[in-house]
Amino acid sequence: QRPALRPLSCPGTVAADLRREEQPSGSTETGSEDKSSKKRFSEVQKERREQAQRTVLIHCPNKISEKKFLKYLSQHGPINNHFFYESFGLYAVVEFCQKESIHSLQNGTHTPSMVTEAAIPFRSRFFNLKPKNPSNQTSERSCIQSSNQLPPSSKKLFELLCYAESIDDQLNTLLKEFQLTEENTRLRYLTCSLIEDIAAAYFPDCTVRPFGSSVNTFGKLGCDLDMFLDLDEIGKISTHKNIGNFLMEFQVKNVPSERIATQKILSVIGECLDHFGPGCVGVQKILNARCPLVRFSHQASGFQCDLTTNNRIALKSSELLYMYGALDSRVRALVFSVRCWARAHSLTTSIPGAWITNFSLTVMVIFFLQQRSPPILPTLDSLKILADAGDKCIIEGNNCTFVRDLNKIKPSENTETLELLLKEFFEYFGNFAFNKNSINIRQGREQNKPDSSPLHIQNPFETSLNISKNVSQSQLQKFVDLARESAWILQEKDKDRPSPSSNQPWGLAALLLPSVANMKSLAKKKNKRPASERIKSLLDSIKSNSTENSTSTNGK
Ligand code: GTP
Ligand code: MG
C-alpha cells in the first residue's frame, strides 16, 4: 500500500518554480521550448536538499484543525510551506523558513514513555503530534484535503484516454497523471534527508542523495526511491590550513577492496536503520549483489528504498537522463507511455530477472529519438564536445564528461508529433536487427554487437558493459512481437477511430489493454488465427469491456 498525498498550500514559493523546472510539459508539437529557466541538475539537487533540511514530518491525529496545527508549529518560527497526506493515518510535511526552527521544535519535544515497551531515544525530524485534550478536538477537523498518491487506477486512466482529443493528447494525459507531483518529490528528498540524519551518526559529513527515477524526470508515482550514501566529501583534502611542510591524514582502518569497504559501511548503516530508524521497516541487507544495497520500507512515506554507496556512475546516469528529459517535451511523454505499455504487457516487473528494465527502455527511447531526421536528441558524444572544463568528470577511470548547462544545447528542429513517434518507435524496434546490432546512445548509431547476449545496450559511461545483459531471448522476442502488433494496431486504428461518444478504448488506450498480448499468445497457440480475426475479437473485447465499465460507473 502506498500513501496518499495532496497539496494543501504552496502558493508563490520556490516550489512552483521548481515544479516548472523539473517537469517540463509544454507544447508537444515542436522541440522548441523556453530553456532560459531550465536549471542544472546540480542546482535542483542543491535547492531541494536545502529545502528538505528545513522540513519535518509529523504524524497527526486524525481529527485536527489545520489552523490550530499551523499556529502551534509557528511558535518555532515561520512556516514556508506545508501539505498533508494520508498513509495509514494523517501526515504533515512542514517546511520552515529557517533551519533553527527545527532545533526549537526538537527542544520542545519529548521521548514518549512506554508502559510495556521501551523507546530508543533517537531525536529525529519525524514527530508524533498528540492532542493535549483529545475530547476537545473531536469536532474540529477542518476539511483537510488529502488524495491518493498512487497513479490513477486503470479504469480512470482508460476513461481519461478515451476522452482525449488525439493520440498526442493521450500521451500528454498519461504523463500528467503518472509523473511525480511537487509534493511527492518533496517527500522523496525529505526521506533521504531523514536517512542522512541516521547515517550521519557514523559519518557526520555524509550526504544521502536521491537518484534514479526519483530525480531523472522519468519517475512515476509509486516508483522506488533510490538513495546514494555519498561519503566522498569526507575524504576530500581540505584546501584550507594546508600550508607548511607536512600533510595530515586520518588514521583509518584498511580493508582488502573497495567492495568490502562498501559492504562494511552498508552493513552497519543497515543495522542502524533497523534498530534506530523511526519508520524504517523490513530492512534487508543485500550485500552480495553486483551493486551492494540495503533495501527497506520507509513506512510513513510509503517509499520502498534502495540505499547504495560507491555508486557514483548511477548518479551521473541520472543526471544524463535528466538532461535528455528536459531537452524536449516529447521525450518524457514518449518514455512514460512506452514504460506503461511495457508494464501493462508484463515486459517489465518489479522483480529482478530476465526482463527488460525501465532504465533500458528509457535508453532505447533516447536512441530512437537520436535516429529521427532531424534528430530530436543529441548524441552523448556531441554533449561531450559541448562540455567545458568545469563539466569534466572522470569516475573510476570512465570519462563521464558532458555539458551540464541545458542552455548550451540547440533545440531540435524536428516537429514530428507524438502520435507519429510512438508508431515509429514500435516499428523501429519491431524491425531492429537485435541479432547483429547494439544500441549505443554515445555515438547515436547502431554498432556491431560485441557479444552474443540477445539484447545489447551499451552502458553510456562504462562502455564495455551491457545494461541489458540479463534479458533473455524469449523476453526480447516478446518485446518485438508486442512492438510489431502495437505498430500495426496504431496503423489500423488510424483508419476508423471511434467517435468520442462511443467510449471505446482507442489509440494509446488500446495499446495498454493487457488482452492484446494475451490474445496474441493465445492465437499463436491455437495455430494462428488470421490477424483480421484477432483484431476483430480484440475490438469485441474492448467493446464489452467498455460496456461493463460504463454500466458499473452508471450503477454507482
Ligand atoms: P524505476 O523502475 O522507476 O525505479 O526506474 P529507475 O531508473 O529508478 O531504475 P532502478 O531503480 O532500477 O535503478 C536506479 C538507477 O540505477 C537507474 O536510473 C540507473 O541510473 C542505474 N541503473 C539501473 N540499472 C542499471 C544497469 O543495468 N546498469 C547501469 N549502469 N546502471 C543502472
Ligand atoms: Mg528506481
Side-chain angles (χ1 to χ4, degrees):
Q1 273 287 316
R2 298 284 183 178
L5 248 184
R6 167 163 291 181
L8 275 189
S9 64
C10 26
T13 60
V14 198
D17 191 33
L18 284 167
R19 181 173 5 205
R20 252 196 341 265
E21 305 308 331
E22 287 209 326
Q23 298 172 344
S25 56
S27 151
T28 53
E29 295 303 314
T30 69
S32 57
E33 280 176 61
D34 174 23
K35 297 217 174 49
S36 56
S37 58
K38 292 262 166 72
K39 284 192 178 133
R40 284 177 185 227
F41 181 74
S42 55
E43 287 172 316
V44 176
Q45 288 246 333
K46 195 170 160 228
E47 277 178 44
R48 289 283 186 190
R49 189 174 134 72
E50 193 272 327
Q51 183 181 58
Q53 286 170 336
R54 286 182 280 108
T55 305
V56 295
L57 181 59
I58 305 174
H59 182 219
C60 301
N62 274 332
K63 298 200 190 300
I64 190 168
S65 149
E66 186 176 359
K67 212 169 133 197
K68 285 188 179 167
F69 170 75
L70 291 176
K71 191 169 165 224
Y72 175 75
L73 283 175
S74 301
Q75 56 181 311
H76 301 288
I79 293 167
N80 197 33
N81 205 304
H82 77 284
F83 64 90
F84 290 93
Y85 68 92
E86 271 171 35
S87 165
F88 305 110
L90 183 68
Y91 290 85
V93 170
V94 180
E95 179 201 337
F96 286 101
C97 293
Q98 293 137 9
K99 221 170 165 177
E100 293 69 46
S101 302
I102 297 196
H103 301 300
S104 164
L105 174 58
Q106 282 173 326
N107 288 338
T109 300
H110 67 271
T111 306
S113 47
M114 310 271 175
V115 183
T116 53
E117 293 171 304
I120 309 257
F122 183 73
R123 291 161 56 95
S124 74
R125 276 182 287 139
F126 179 18
F127 303 93
N128 200 13
L129 183 74
K130 288 188 162 173
K132 265 193 191 143
N133 188 349
S135 58
N136 268 357
Q137 311 224 350
T138 43
S139 58
E140 287 193 22
R141 182 167 185 179
S142 56
C143 52
I144 287 177
Q145 294 172 312
S146 60
S147 81
N148 212 318
Q149 187 201 355
L150 283 170
S153 65
S154 312
K155 186 167 170 276
K156 187 180 169 213
L157 179 68
F158 275 101
E159 275 170 14
L160 288 168
L161 295 183
C162 287
Y163 283 115
E165 282 173 5
S166 60
I167 293 186
D168 279 44
D169 192 19
Q170 287 186 321
L171 269 85
N172 283 319
T173 300
L174 186 136
L175 171 64
K176 211 172 108 231
E177 292 295 314
F178 279 94
Q179 70 185 355
L180 301 184
T181 58
E182 162 64 26
E183 291 69 33
N184 192 271
T185 301
R186 279 169 179 261
L187 193 54
R188 284 172 188 267
Y189 278 86
L190 172 60
T191 306
C192 285
S193 187
L194 295 176
I195 300 305
E196 181 180 299
D197 286 352
I198 297 170
Y202 283 100
F203 303 103
D205 297 316
C206 74
T207 309
V208 172
R209 305 179 193 282
F211 72 100
S213 57
S214 299
V215 297
N216 67 16
T217 73
F218 297 107
K220 198 173 105 180
L221 283 173
C223 70
D224 68 354
L225 173 54
D226 302 294
M227 300 176 173
F228 169 65
L229 171 65
D230 190 350
L231 301 172
D232 268 17
E233 295 297 318
I234 298 170
K236 274 199 184 140
I237 297 172
S238 165
T239 44
H240 304 291
K241 298 184 184 161
N242 201 13
I243 36 179
N245 295 330
F246 299 100
L247 183 66
M248 198 71 98
E249 275 182 353
F250 284 109
Q251 282 279 352
V252 288
K253 249 200 162 128
N254 294 324
V255 290
S257 70
E258 209 45 76
R259 182 173 167 83
I260 294 174
T262 299
Q263 288 169 330
K264 283 190 183 287
I265 292 165
L266 283 179
S267 175
V268 169
I269 302 291
E271 290 292 314
C272 206
L273 290 175
D274 197 16
H275 294 308
F276 308 143
C280 300
V281 298
V283 180
Q284 285 172 275
K285 297 195 265 177
I286 309 171
L287 302 179
N288 287 324
R290 186 188 60 85
C291 181
L293 71 137
V294 173
R295 177 165 290 172
F296 61 97
S297 286
H298 191 257
Q299 235 176 358
S301 63
F303 296 133
Q304 171 78 34
C305 305
D306 277 351
L307 178 70
T308 54
T309 186
N310 193 19
N311 191 16
R312 192 161 286 279
I313 288 199
L315 199 67
K316 203 66 191 168
S317 307
S318 304
E319 181 168 12
L320 181 66
L321 294 197
Y322 169 90
M323 299 274 300
Y324 277 128
L327 274 177
D328 188 293
S329 61
R330 288 167 293 185
V331 182
R332 296 176 64 236
L334 203 58
V335 168
F336 271 72
S337 289
V338 169
R339 282 184 171 203
C340 273
W341 167 84
R343 190 75 178 96
H345 297 295
S346 309
L347 285 169
T348 50
T349 75
S350 51
I351 316 155
W355 299 273
I356 200 160
T357 63
N358 277 332
F359 181 56
S360 294
L361 281 173
T362 309
V363 175
M364 285 168 93
V365 175
I366 292 171
F367 181 73
F368 163 74
L369 294 174
Q370 291 173 335
Q371 310 305 303
R372 305 307 296 163
S373 174
I376 294 179
L377 288 177
T379 66
L380 179 49
D381 273 343
S382 67
L383 294 181
K384 189 174 158 197
I385 293 168
L386 288 174
D388 60 28
D391 295 324
K392 191 170 173 200
C393 174
I394 311 282
I395 302 171
E396 292 156 20
N398 299 293
N399 193 334
C400 305
T401 306
F402 57 84
V403 61
R404 293 170 306 162
D405 182 353
L406 285 154
N407 306 303
K408 287 192 186 162
I409 307 165
K410 216 171 128 233
S412 166
E413 280 166 10
N414 181 308
T415 58
E416 287 169 319
T417 63
L418 283 170
E419 173 174 358
L420 179 80
L421 291 171
L422 186 65
K423 201 156 63 188
E424 298 271 313
F425 172 85
F426 289 131
E427 249 183 73
Y428 183 78
F429 283 114
N431 296 303
F432 191 87
F434 288 108
N435 55 338
K436 278 203 326 246
N437 292 337
S438 157
I439 291 162
N440 182 316
I441 61 163
R442 180 164 279 285
Q443 299 178 16
R445 45 169 204 264
E446 299 165 17
Q447 301 282 303
N448 285 337
K449 230 165 55 165
D451 61 42
S452 61
S453 33
L455 175 60
H456 196 279
I457 305 176
Q458 191 195 57
N459 183 321
F461 297 123
E462 291 165 282
T463 52
S464 62
L465 302 181
N466 171 12
I467 63 166
S468 52
K469 202 174 72 190
N470 58 313
V471 176
S472 66
Q473 183 60 44
S474 65
Q475 283 301 314
L476 177 65
Q477 194 54 49
K478 190 174 161 191
F479 171 86
V480 170
D481 287 348
L482 279 159
R484 285 184 186 169
E485 184 146 321
S486 298
W488 197 76
I489 288 173
L490 280 179
Q491 193 96 28
E492 285 299 292
K493 291 266 167 167
D494 252 6
K495 293 180 191 143
D496 55 344
R497 184 171 295 170
S499 75
S501 57
S502 71
N503 201 21
Q504 273 187 31
W506 59 279
L508 181 58
L511 296 189
L512 297 179
L513 282 176
S515 53
V516 179
N518 295 343
M519 285 186 51
K520 168 124 187 159
S521 61
L522 257 181
K524 259 191 177 169
K525 278 182 199 145
K526 284 185 186 166
N527 230 349
K528 293 188 190 127
R529 278 150 63 204
S532 57
E533 207 180 301
R534 275 192 283 130
I535 296 302
K536 187 177 167 294
S537 50
L538 166 71
L539 288 175
D540 286 343
S541 89
I542 291 166
K543 228 182 216 167
S544 65
N545 236 340
S546 64
T547 327
E548 267 166 37
N549 276 352
S550 61
T551 320
S552 63
T553 318
N554 293 343
K556 271 182 188 171

